[in-house]
Amino acid sequence: MNSISVRALLVRGMIAGVIAGALALAVAYFLGESQVDAAIAIEEAHSHAAHGGGGGGGEEEELVSRTMQATGGLATALLVFGVAVGGIAALVYAYALGRIGNFGPRATAALIAGAALLTVYVVPFLKYPANPPAVGNPDTIGKRTTLFFLMVALSLLLAVAAVIIGKRLAPALGNWNATIAAAAGFFLAIGLAYAFLPSFDEVGKDFPASLLWKFRLSTLAVQTTFWAGFGLIFGYLTERLLVSGTGADARRVATPVG
């Protein structure tokens, strides 16, 4: 894989990431921000009650308005995330194409997007789900954040190990049985991690369960939208490059080295 070929995929990955980020932004704004506003209202009510219901003279002036957070801040975060993650996914795609099975450009893009959604978000989310404002002990936020990223790293490493083991088992067991065995090993290892890593139950008794459920579903919907959009868009762009494109560059991208 030469540098020109990798660059062509990298650019398309970043473009697909920006577009997928815009789709995720729409879902986050229309589906998630109302849940955040409701949680903030509960948090402010608790703060007001803790101060004896007095005036707001002791309140600190917010540095960034809530409107800016819900619009410009959210857009910046998701679009930058889209560019960065899209570029990383494109590099993974450049390595994986032709090495993980006899899949075409679109199928490979879909597999990578689905695997990323599962390993980077769904697996850590099931152990350490996102919390809205007014939920969670501020004293444990550092520990919870560290454990969440530890779960992300563990999920990625176990997924890579499962792919390697599946490929090595395939000659003896066949592709289907080897895939099942590798997947079973992955989920068994994740289950053990769930069992041994600490959990946190910091939801207040007066916080509405329905609001917490809707907030967490909205965060899952944002990530699902991003990765589904990325897989479809990146698959389309790479197919145009590799199948519809002409010239030696397209052939070099489609043929892995080593």
Side-chain angles (χ1 to χ4, degrees):
M1 186 77 69
N2 65 26
S3 60
I4 297 176
S5 303
V6 173
R7 189 184 312 135
L9 290 174
L10 181 62
V11 170
R12 283 158 178 78
M14 295 171 72
I15 292 172
V18 168
I19 299 173
L23 295 174
L25 172 62
V27 173
Y29 183 79
F30 290 108
L31 187 61
E33 285 304 308
S34 59
Q35 317 304 329
V36 175
D37 288 337
I40 289 175
I42 294 173
E43 185 178 47
E44 291 177 346
H46 287 172
S47 178
H48 187 71
H51 288 84
E59 296 180 0
E60 296 182 2
E61 182 180 356
E62 57 184 2
L63 298 178
V64 181
S65 69
R66 173 65 190 135
T67 301
M68 178 58 68
Q69 292 174 12
T71 53
L74 182 63
T76 300
L78 284 174
L79 294 179
V80 170
F81 172 83
V83 171
V85 172
I88 294 172
L91 295 178
V92 173
Y93 181 94
Y95 177 81
L97 186 62
R99 290 186 171 94
I100 59 174
N102 189 25
F103 300 106
R106 286 196 176 190
T108 303
L111 285 172
I112 289 175
L117 174 63
L118 176 67
T119 58
V120 176
Y121 191 76
V122 174
V123 168
F125 171 85
L126 292 176
K127 177 65 176 178
Y128 301 112
N131 286 332
V135 173
N137 184 351
D139 295 336
T140 64
I141 188 170
K143 185 177 182 180
R144 285 185 281 122
T145 301
T146 300
L147 286 170
F148 176 82
F149 283 109
L150 174 63
M151 196 71 230
V152 172
L154 184 61
S155 178
L156 286 170
L157 290 174
L158 288 173
V160 172
V163 171
I164 294 172
I165 291 172
K167 288 177 70 68
R168 292 186 177 180
L169 291 176
L173 302 180
N175 288 334
W176 180 254
N177 291 331
T179 300
I180 293 176
F186 171 79
F187 287 112
L188 176 61
I190 290 297
L192 291 174
Y194 281 4
F196 286 101
L197 288 176
S199 299
F200 299 90
D201 185 10
E202 300 176 346
V203 181
K205 294 181 179 180
D206 57 343
F207 193 89
S210 61
L211 177 58
L212 180 62
W213 176 248
K214 290 177 182 177
F215 173 83
R216 288 176 173 173
L217 278 183
S218 68
T219 63
L220 181 60
V222 170
Q223 289 291 326
T224 302
T225 299
F226 175 83
W227 285 110
F230 177 82
L232 292 172
I233 296 164
F234 186 61
Y236 169 76
L237 294 176
T238 53
E239 186 174 58
R240 284 184 54 123
L241 173 69
L242 305 181
V243 177
S244 302
T246 59
D249 184 59
R251 291 193 295 273
R252 282 193 296 267
V253 177
T255 304
V257 176

